[in-house]
Amino acid sequence: MNNTKSPKNISLKNQLELCLFCALIGAVAGALVWILLKIMAVGTEFLWKWLPGKISVPYYTIFICVAGAAIIGIFRKIFGDYPEDLETVMGKVRTEKRYEYKNMLVMMVAALLPLLIGSSVGPEAGLTGIIVGLCYWAGDNLKFAGQNTRNYSQIGAAVSMSVLFHAPLFGIFEVEENSEEDLAALTKGSKLFIYGIALAAGTGIYAGLSALFGAGLSGFPSFDMVEIQKKDYLLMILYILCGLILAYFYQATHKLTGNISNRFPAVVKEIFAGLCLGIMGSFLPALMFSGEEQMGTLMKTYTSYLPLALIGIAFFKLLLTNLCIQFGLKGGHFFPVIFAGVCMGYGMAMLICGPDGGHVVFGAAIVTASLLGGIMKKPLAVTMLLFLCFPVKMFIWIFIAAAVGSKLVTLKPEQLSSVV
């Protein structure tokens, strides 16, 4: 009697295992995103709203930032340089063919601490390392998962980014666009199908937990539909130029702050960053945190700002973000960069056209797209990221601005020594 399984049955079994495990990865990613954001929301509520109402401490913002930065510095000195950003994590996956997962609890704590003290960074940096680490743990401990570990890690990273930013296609293009290698074992059609399964599971788990227990970070607010006028199209070149200037400024300050931070000993550089964060946050609270909630407030109160003040906030936000990242108060850069782009777009549009809502929304969209395109070099990912923030009718103009930014901002960090 022949008990040999047919190749067709084996292939079907493998495909079923792949789909089920990718759904599990998506569910775990969605749950981890919710847990991180919920802890962050509760922690910031306690530290920045409840506690100041109970005690009176002079220069409270400076005190919390410096004390928190000292704790972060000691933590990093003991446990290592975490969290790692998406490019670093996926770079290790490509070159080393694995990612170390023994320090996942450390990565979670390291991702949370800067967010709690108001560092000008986003939460995405720590999440991708944790998700990719879990995928490699599964590959080492689950027999059927071993051969697809790298594919799982890419899917997990994409899902976590998509759920975090409430932009379903952003994670896919952020991981895949401009990549030298596709998912090795998957065809184009099956790749999208597998991503779809993982995204549905991740989004469903995140939405379910948010409905039951409340959400943490709600994502960037959406701008209302506006009428685009001929004047706006003519101003596109100026808005794109403003985005390019911000992109070059971001790259230059990233290199400059990195060079300066190398001269500081451990712990001291974190305390210095905390002091700068506390002082700047005391005078301009909008510069602190990732910028998600601040942008919602800005959309309602932008007319109370002078245009030049908004332009200045854009530059200071990028500078402070790079200072935090390079001096140890680490995190992601997407949220702060978007906030800076919106501030610049609002400021320039108000300077030229006045406070009319349609003009400022269009200006914010184009400046932000050009800025992100110049930094990320991934116009499709930028478009997918901004798609849920700005009106649908701006889709093509956002893509054009992002594509121009990705082509014209050619300097790389290692080429900036001559600039700074």
Side-chain angles (χ1 to χ4, degrees), residues 137-358:
W137 175 88
D140 289 346
N141 292 277
L142 302 177
K143 183 178 179 181
F144 71 88
Q147 62 182 350
N148 288 310
T149 304
R150 184 182 173 193
N151 294 342
Y152 294 146
S153 68
Q154 290 176 302
I155 291 169
V159 171
S160 61
M161 298 288 281
S162 294
V163 174
L164 175 63
F165 288 95
H166 304 284
L169 295 179
F170 167 63
I172 298 175
F173 286 108
E174 169 58 22
V175 172
E176 291 289 315
E177 192 177 1
N178 298 342
S179 177
E180 295 179 359
E181 302 177 18
D182 292 326
L183 293 179
L186 302 174
T187 63
K188 293 288 184 182
S190 63
K191 181 192 302 185
L192 292 176
F193 179 70
I194 293 299
Y195 270 129
I197 291 174
L199 280 170
T203 303
I205 290 295
Y206 180 86
L209 289 172
S210 298
L212 289 173
F213 306 105
L217 196 68
S218 58
F220 275 104
S222 297
F223 291 85
D224 295 330
M225 294 293 291
V226 295
E227 289 298 323
I228 304 175
Q229 302 177 19
K230 293 180 180 179
K231 182 191 296 186
D232 296 314
Y233 297 125
L234 293 175
L235 289 171
M236 265 194 71
I237 296 175
L238 176 61
Y239 294 148
I240 290 174
L241 179 62
C242 290
L244 298 179
I245 291 171
L246 283 179
Y248 274 106
F249 180 78
Y250 176 88
Q251 290 185 330
T253 53
H254 184 81
K255 179 67 174 179
L256 178 62
T257 52
N259 288 339
I260 295 173
S261 70
N262 292 332
R263 302 172 187 177
F264 283 76
V267 184
V268 174
K269 68 178 182 179
E270 285 85 1
I271 292 174
F272 175 77
L275 180 62
C276 293
L277 176 66
I279 293 173
M280 295 179 75
S282 297
F283 289 100
L284 276 175
L287 296 176
M288 297 182 68
F289 299 98
S290 65
E292 177 263 346
E293 290 189 7
Q294 289 79 0
M295 195 170 91
T297 303
L298 179 67
M299 289 168 61
K300 300 174 183 176
T301 62
Y302 71 91
T303 53
S304 64
Y305 288 88
L306 293 173
L308 291 179
L310 289 173
I311 294 170
I313 289 173
F315 284 100
F316 276 114
K317 184 67 174 178
L318 295 181
L319 174 61
L320 185 59
T321 297
N322 277 322
L323 181 72
C324 290
I325 291 173
Q326 298 287 44
F327 278 73
L329 309 185
K330 298 173 65 177
H333 65 277
F334 290 118
F335 282 97
V337 166
I338 293 173
F339 177 74
V342 170
C343 285
M344 172 64 90
Y346 269 27
M348 288 303 301
M350 289 172 64
L351 201 61
I352 299 168
C353 305
D356 179 81

